[in-house]
Every structure is written in structure tokens, then in C-alpha cells.
Amino acid sequence: MFAVVRTGGKQYRVAAGDKIVVEKIDGEAGASVTLGDVLLAGEGSELKPTDGLTVAAEIIAQAKGEKVIVFKKRRRHNYRRKNGHRQNHTILKIVSIGAAEKKAAPKKAAAKKAEGDAPAAAEA
């Protein structure tokens, strides 16, 4: 199964087990990340709905990209400026593509609320 996810203003086609380099995401190496902005998903040539679909990934490393040299020059004016830049990147390993896990906490709260109503009904 594959998915197209959007992160850092770019789109990536991923499958389970892939390694991708994306814009910097907060987290330490070994931490798990959920990419929730899934644009497209499918298996082979068959597309699947993306409602509630998430991509689970693990951070492998935080790294810097290649140095980009910025050189400005205005001829005949003795104007030269040289500057460099290295972009921060995060290397991700895609663990799985699947539905979002729903938390059980709201069910417990509803059960406690039902228990709280029972004694009030018994008193009346």
C-alpha cells in the first residue's frame, strides 16, 4: 500500500519501510511521528479513501543538508557578497500506513457519567 503525504510544504509518495528526507520536524532520534495530512492512498492502481488515514513514521536522525553558496555581485561597483546556508532535515522511516487509532478515554468518561446518574435516580 502507498500513500501521498504532505509535510513541510512538499508532497512525498511513501510505502511501509521507505526512508524519506523531509523538512525539520521536532523530536529526537527514535521518536515516533504521525503524519496526518494524507492526500492520496491506494494499492497498485486502485485508490482508497483517505478519511481518517494516517502514516506512522519513526525519526532516524536529525541532519543538515548540503551547503548552498549564495554569491551576489554587481559588476563595476566592487560589490561582492558570499554567503552559505545549510538546511535542517529530518530523516524518517515509514513504519505503517493505516487508520488513526481512536482513544478509549471518551468511552470511560461516558461510563463514569452514566454511573453518576444512577445514584441521583435512586435518591429521587
Side-chain angles (χ1 to χ4, degrees):
M1 180 173 189
F2 73 93
V4 176
V5 296
R6 179 174 35 205
T7 180
K10 297 177 183 72
Q11 298 174 9
Y12 302 92
R13 183 185 190 274
V14 298
D18 286 353
K19 292 181 184 176
I20 59 173
V21 178
V22 298
E23 296 287 322
K24 173 100 169 125
I25 297 175
D26 291 333
E28 296 294 322
S32 60
V33 177
T34 303
L35 305 174
D37 197 3
V38 178
L39 305 174
L40 183 76
E43 185 123 19
S45 62
E46 181 181 326
L47 297 180
K48 299 191 178 192
T50 59
D51 300 334
L53 197 66
T54 60
V55 175
E58 179 184 348
I59 296 176
I60 295 176
Q62 302 285 4
K64 282 191 164 188
E66 294 289 319
K67 181 174 269 193
V68 177
I69 302 297
V70 179
F71 184 73
K72 299 178 180 180
K73 179 183 177 182
R74 296 191 184 167
R75 60 186 189 154
R76 297 188 298 271
H77 290 283
N78 195 26
Y79 175 84
R80 293 182 203 92
R81 300 291 183 267
K82 184 178 179 183
N83 200 351
H85 175 75
R86 291 184 73 185
Q87 186 69 31
N88 291 321
H89 293 298
T90 301
I91 302 171
L92 296 177
K93 180 178 181 183
I94 305 301
V95 177
S96 65
I97 300 171
E101 295 180 13
K102 295 183 180 178
K103 297 180 180 178
K107 292 179 184 177
K108 290 181 183 178
K112 288 182 180 179
K113 184 177 178 182
E115 291 175 7
D117 292 340
E123 292 174 7

